[in-house]
Amino acid sequence: MVRYIITVLLVSLSIQLTSAAEDWGKTGHRATGEIAEQYLSKKAKRTINKLLNGESLALVSNYGDDIKSDPAYRKYGPWHYVNFAFDGSYEASEKSEKGDLYAAINTCVSVLKADKATKDEKAFYLKMLVHFMGDLHQPMHIGVADDKGGNDFQVRWFNDGTNLHTVWDSKMLDSYEMSYSELAANAAKLSKFQLQAIQEGTVKDWMNESRILCKEVYATTEIGDKLGYRYMYDYVHVVRGQLQKGGIRLAVLLNEIFG
Ligand code: ADE
Ligand code: ZN
Ligand code: ZN
């Protein structure tokens, strides 16, 4: 009986551990933070350094996920994603009163620009902004409510059962086996023109770009698909491109806020 109880506890613990949602996963968020550092103005770098007491953007990039385990921060849960109808638009959709990823980014920017915000408040919203700019570039975070952004879309990753959301959050990056600093150091070399094209636009434009990618993912994946090497071949460069865009655009916002 005791052995049975221990087995049940261990199995349920391992399910909880493996199902904890981690957005881009630690590596993806860190890569986005590290890439952003490459594009910060001197002034932005100095202000950020003071706010974060010397910690890097890569280091603080998972704070938004770390606080999920503390009930005091529960209200920030819905700020990590935005769902709207597959053929609809954010504008036309009914907004959740609990907030969403797009509203969250705007809130972070407003607090960081506000003269009356304290250092602690600014540090909190800066860490959240670093995280949310990563989430904005994970296509399944600009999802549909029906399947919770692919969390209820079951697939296989090599021989393991998982879901489409997790494949995009972390399975592809984990299988790629590059550290966040390797991902940042080996990001695509961009021409001036390519860089400008990424830097242009608004947070809403960037969200809609991720939605287009999300639609492509649904168009090319079916429930129960066994995904693996071929999926990596098709999409890991998209993941890497999204991490790079997230970093470059995070720097755009930070340079504008602190510039
Ligand atoms: N929960 C509900 N929708 C979600 C989404 N799009 N991403 C992450 N978690 C979610
Ligand atoms: Zn996620
Ligand atoms: Zn998140």
Side-chain angles (χ1 to χ4, degrees):
M1 187 62 187
V2 172
R3 192 177 289 176
Y4 171 75
I5 291 170
I6 290 172
T7 307
V8 168
L9 284 176
L10 284 177
V11 167
S12 69
L13 179 70
S14 81
I15 289 169
Q16 273 181 21
L17 287 176
T18 52
S19 66
E22 291 215 315
D23 307 338
W24 267 134
K26 297 206 186 315
T27 306
H29 281 287
R30 286 185 187 134
T32 292
E34 186 79 355
I35 290 167
E37 301 261 9
Q38 302 169 1
Y39 293 91
L40 290 177
S41 68
K42 280 217 172 79
K43 187 142 179 265
K45 221 175 233 177
R46 239 181 293 128
T47 313
I48 290 165
N49 208 39
K50 274 189 214 149
L51 282 175
L52 299 180
N53 298 322
E55 287 192 318
S56 69
L57 295 183
L59 210 70
V60 303
S61 66
N62 289 297
Y63 178 74
D65 278 339
D66 295 341
I67 61 173
K68 283 179 177 167
S69 54
D70 184 341
Y73 295 101
R74 196 160 285 156
K75 77 161 187 162
Y76 299 104
W79 291 28
H80 292 251
Y81 56 88
V82 55
N83 292 324
F84 50 89
F86 197 70
D87 288 316
S89 66
Y90 180 75
E91 283 84 14
S93 70
E94 202 180 312
K95 311 295 177 290
S96 164
E97 79 267 15
K98 292 179 179 162
D100 61 54
L101 178 57
Y102 178 70
I105 289 174
N106 288 333
T107 301
C108 293
V109 171
S110 308
V111 175
L112 290 170
K113 282 182 174 173
D115 291 335
K116 62 177 169 39
T118 64
K119 184 191 170 193
D120 281 355
E121 278 167 339
K122 288 195 177 188
F124 176 83
Y125 284 97
L126 172 57
K127 289 189 271 189
M128 295 300 263
L129 181 61
V130 176
H131 181 86
F132 291 146
M133 283 302 288
D135 284 346
L136 189 74
H137 288 80
Q138 204 287 47
M140 304 311 287
H141 277 242
I142 317 299
V144 286
D146 304 351
D147 70 356
K148 301 195 185 73
N151 275 297
D152 291 341
F153 190 117
Q154 303 304 319
V155 293
R156 296 193 77 72
W157 183 250
F158 293 93
N159 290 318
D160 299 329
T162 184
N163 63 70
L164 191 55
H165 188 103
T166 306
V167 167
W168 279 84
D169 264 355
S170 53
K171 294 288 183 192
M172 279 194 273
L173 277 169
D174 290 348
S175 295
Y176 201 51
E177 294 188 1
M178 261 206 188
S179 68
Y180 80 86
S181 38
E182 286 167 341
L183 285 164
N186 295 286
K189 302 283 173 278
L190 301 171
S191 68
K192 214 172 150 191
F193 177 78
Q194 286 171 316
L195 177 61
Q196 274 171 2
I198 292 171
Q199 289 167 325
E200 269 167 19
T202 62
V203 174
K204 195 171 273 176
D205 294 331
W206 304 336
M207 170 177 71
N208 288 328
E209 198 185 283
S210 288
R211 167 43 76 96
I212 291 169
L213 260 179
C214 172
K215 283 186 160 185
E216 189 194 320
V217 172
Y218 278 102
T220 54
T221 322
E222 305 226 5
I223 291 173
D225 272 357
K226 188 167 191 284
L227 309 176
Y229 291 118
R230 177 68 212 204
Y231 207 73
M232 290 282 283
Y233 179 69
D234 289 339
Y235 283 125
V236 87
H237 71 280
V238 176
V239 172
R240 292 185 61 186
Q242 288 301 100
L243 300 178
Q244 186 175 28
K245 284 180 177 178
I248 290 170
R249 290 166 176 171
L250 169 61
V252 167
L253 295 185
L254 295 173
N255 289 339
E256 209 249 312
I257 293 165
F258 301 121

